[in-house]
Amino acid sequence: MTIDNVAVKVSAVVYFSISDPQASLVKVEDVHYATSQLMQTELRDVLCKRSFSEILSERNHLSSEIKERAERITNEWGVNIDQIQMKEVDLIDPDMVRALAKEAEATREKTAAMIRASGELESAKILANAAKLFETTPMSMELRRLQSLEKIAKEKSQTTVVVPMGLGTETAIGLSAASASNSGKILKDIEDSNE
């Protein structure tokens, strides 16, 4: 049982050698059985202090820790622990598998939402800076509008676009109120001459 109350089944292998045959015969009755039992105990002691996710992600570190703890005892028996490998870590309860899958999915969704929110915040900051720039230079806003119209015009679909011409737009595109009234007068003169 892990620290987060997950029941797990762990398969592990221990490789050991006998460095002092006399000690291995005198200090312990059956060195193979004693080493096996000691490794199981150390494995349980170390894993019960970890969460399930730590066991999965830190197998090598945990194997080293178990080896160090066991060697304190096995050295007295004339046994050297060469290597410990955790082969499989399985969940015992099928309901726990579903619960952990839901937890992992919720964590992924939370991370995705945080990334989207961070992107939205960055986008809002950039748009706020752009709005300040457009406010101080009206010509840049008009250029942006023309770029948007050009982009729409390049599309293959037939689209009707109504472009409002607000106050101050005449100045931005180079027309003045005087030239607008002059063009109106010229049009009237042409109409009169045609009659």
Side-chain angles (χ1 to χ4, degrees):
M1 187 74 73
T2 62
I3 198 167
D4 51 354
N5 294 323
V6 177
V8 292
K9 178 182 175 186
V10 179
S11 299
V13 178
V14 60
Y15 298 97
F16 65 93
S17 58
I18 298 174
S19 59
D20 184 356
Q22 185 176 1
S24 68
L25 291 173
V26 174
K27 301 272 183 165
V28 65
E29 184 176 329
D30 183 351
V31 71
H32 295 285
Y33 180 76
T35 303
S36 172
Q37 292 300 306
L38 175 66
M39 298 311 294
Q40 289 178 39
T41 303
E42 294 297 340
L43 182 70
R44 263 193 306 273
D45 287 349
V46 169
L47 297 185
C48 75
K49 296 175 184 167
R50 300 292 196 284
S51 68
F52 181 67
S53 60
E54 287 175 330
I55 293 170
L56 293 177
S57 63
E58 300 177 8
R59 283 187 188 190
N60 292 337
H61 173 71
L62 294 173
S63 294
S64 298
E65 185 179 340
I66 294 165
K67 179 182 177 204
E68 288 173 18
R69 289 175 54 140
E71 281 180 333
R72 293 181 199 144
I73 298 169
T74 59
N75 285 341
E76 295 176 13
W77 300 344
V79 174
N80 288 332
I81 305 294
D82 298 322
Q83 187 178 6
I84 298 171
Q85 289 182 345
M86 281 192 270
K87 292 171 52 177
E88 294 179 11
V89 179
D90 296 322
L91 293 169
I92 295 173
D93 186 7
D95 292 334
M96 189 58 72
V97 174
R98 285 189 292 276
L100 287 174
K102 286 180 183 179
E103 180 183 352
E105 183 179 358
T107 302
R108 285 191 301 272
E109 288 175 2
K110 175 185 168 186
T111 303
M114 290 173 66
I115 291 170
R116 278 193 303 272
S118 176
E120 291 291 330
L121 177 64
E122 198 63 34
S123 176
K125 288 177 182 177
I126 292 169
L127 287 173
N129 289 338
K132 287 177 185 174
L133 178 66
F134 289 148
E135 186 178 29
T136 58
T137 54
M139 184 55 119
S140 62
M141 182 63 183
E142 188 57 33
L143 289 173
R144 181 67 186 121
R145 185 181 311 181
L146 291 172
Q147 286 174 342
S148 297
L149 286 173
E150 179 186 22
K151 187 176 178 181
I152 292 170
K154 286 182 181 178
E155 291 180 6
K156 299 292 181 197
S157 64
Q158 294 179 348
T159 307
T160 303
V161 179
V162 178
V163 181
M165 299 297 279
L167 295 175
T169 307
E170 297 86 10
T171 307
I173 59 174
L175 298 175
S176 65
S179 64
S181 64
N182 286 341
S183 62
K185 183 179 178 191
I186 292 169
L187 285 174
K188 187 172 184 212
D189 291 341
I190 292 172
E191 287 174 358
D192 288 343
S193 67
N194 285 340
E195 289 177 357

